Amino acid sequence: MSIGIGAIHCVLPEASTPVTELPEVETLRAEEAEFVRSSGIDRVGVFPDAPTTDFAIRAAQELGKTTALDPDVLIMVGSRSPDVLLGSDSGRLQAEGGFGRAFAFVLDGLGCTGSSAAWALARDLLLADPGRDSVLITHASRPTGVDRVRYPVTVIGDGAYAMTVVRGGRPVLVAHRQESDGAFHDLFRVDYKQAPWYEWREECQSPDRYRFELALHSRQRLSRMVDEVLGDAGISKGDVAATLMQNVTASAYGFYHSLLGLPIHPVCQRLLTEHGHLGAMDVVLNLDRLLTGGEVAPGDHVLVLNNSPVAAWAATVWQV
């Protein structure tokens, strides 16, 4: 039996802030301020102050109001920083969400690519055990500290989602490829042990290494992986009805269009402009809005690309 998506529910803040009015903008250096202005992001949504896990719980509970939820497995895609050390954010999600039967754990260390890895892992878990019927995946995106400008990468907004991967779901997960490169493990870091959370600052070891060396790796990897995953699915680029990717900056869409010969669907740019970068939630929100927008039809193939500054890449083919 095919395995695909059962349902998706995304939660976005009611309140948003123009990026030019973010508190840290006044303290940015000239090149950082110019980066913000040219990012293609107009506003970012801001949740009320609360633990990040609260919003993942909310997304799951609201999804449960529209579809029956009794997952065999609960995968929480790791946030930028856990709410507790030694405790378990996924355990809290399981308890307060009412998913006592599920085996719950956190999938972490992959940054934005975590959601793509989670839906592939969910598919594999269902294939491995005929006794399992569904996997619930959740994630909430919040900044690590107080700053939302993540130079030289993006500007971070808030959001959360919950989705299920089930037997007989649509769209069907047709093919998936993923890779990582541990050589970039320390490119970004937060020295959280030496300061209280409100002084946490994300540090980029080398902006040039991010913009050039990692960009070159991404170009080479994704170009090859797209060919491979389309081959796995038995289709060509001409058969792809829509291509989605994570929302980082507006310039990235043109870069990947030029690289792959596949236009990035405009829904990505629209959501980037309105909400900023939502971490691992980006591709889920983009896919959900594409599916509900009526621009793809049953039988169409959708290609979803994903990569992150920790050097993890994924390419997935879905059939609507």
Side-chain angles (χ1 to χ4, degrees):
M1 181 181 291
S2 62
I3 293 173
I5 294 174
I8 300 174
H9 179 69
C10 296
V11 176
L12 294 165
E14 296 180 2
S16 64
T17 301
V19 294
T20 55
E21 297 179 12
L22 292 173
E24 67 266 34
V25 168
E26 293 184 357
T27 66
L28 296 178
R29 295 171 296 178
E31 65 270 25
E32 295 171 336
E34 175 57 29
F35 167 77
V36 171
R37 287 191 293 269
S38 63
S39 66
I41 301 170
D42 288 346
R43 311 179 66 86
V44 291
V46 180
F47 278 140
D49 188 30
T52 300
T53 304
D54 284 12
F55 302 101
I57 294 171
R58 174 184 164 188
Q61 290 177 330
E62 290 182 2
L63 178 63
K65 294 177 181 178
T66 59
T67 187
L69 284 185
D70 187 20
D72 300 284
V73 180
L74 194 167
I75 302 175
M76 186 177 188
V77 178
S79 61
R80 292 181 178 86
S81 57
D83 289 334
V84 295
L85 295 176
L86 293 182
S88 173
D89 292 344
S90 60
R92 180 179 167 227
L93 173 63
Q94 179 185 25
E96 297 188 17
F99 308 113
R101 193 176 70 85
F103 178 73
F105 63 93
V106 175
L107 177 65
D108 206 0
L110 297 172
C112 311
T113 312
S115 289
S116 297
W119 64 41
L121 177 59
R123 189 263 318 259
D124 291 348
L125 289 171
L126 294 180
L127 288 174
D129 186 348
R132 299 186 183 112
D133 292 313
S134 69
V135 178
L136 174 63
I137 304 171
T138 66
H139 173 69
S141 170
R142 309 288 303 282
T144 304
V146 296
D147 290 351
R148 294 181 178 273
V149 176
R150 189 184 182 194
Y151 178 80
V153 184
T154 190
V155 183
I156 296 169
D158 292 350
Y161 78 84
M163 66 180 289
T164 55
V165 175
V166 301
R167 300 184 187 279
R170 306 291 298 201
V172 176
L173 202 166
V174 177
H176 178 85
R177 293 266 180 159
Q178 60 189 30
E179 297 181 5
S180 62
D181 185 345
F184 294 90
H185 70 94
D186 60 349
L187 185 55
F188 291 87
R189 66 191 295 269
V190 175
D191 190 5
Y192 74 96
K193 290 187 176 181
Q194 303 301 319
W197 72 268
Y198 50 83
E199 293 181 3
W200 287 358
R201 297 293 182 272
E202 183 174 291
E203 301 171 3
C204 179
Q205 182 190 65
S206 170
D208 286 342
R209 192 175 181 220
Y210 168 77
R211 285 182 293 220
F212 300 109
E213 186 179 351
L214 182 56
L216 177 61
H217 276 260
S218 294
R219 176 187 304 177
Q220 294 171 337
R221 297 263 188 157
L222 281 175
S223 181
R224 171 178 51 78
M225 290 171 66
V226 165
D227 290 338
E228 292 172 344
V229 78
L230 294 180
D232 294 341
I235 62 174
S236 67
K237 290 182 179 180
D239 298 315
V240 176
T243 301
L244 306 174
M245 60 178 286
Q246 80 278 13
N247 306 332
V248 182
T249 61
S251 61
Y253 305 130
F255 173 82
Y256 283 104
H257 181 186
S258 175
L259 170 67
L260 302 172
L262 290 166
I264 306 303
H265 195 279
V267 70
C268 300
Q269 173 68 76
R270 177 172 62 81
L271 294 171
L272 172 72
T273 300
E274 296 173 356
H275 302 289
H277 174 55
L278 304 180
M281 180 177 172
D282 279 345
V283 291
V284 177
L285 178 64
N286 293 346
L287 181 59
D288 180 57
R289 295 300 189 262
L290 176 72
L291 295 173
T292 57
E295 296 185 65
V296 288
D300 283 349
H301 289 90
V302 177
L303 174 65
V304 180
L305 310 175
N306 208 350
N307 66 68
S308 71
V310 296
W313 302 269
T316 310
V317 176
W318 299 91
Q319 186 172 27
V320 180

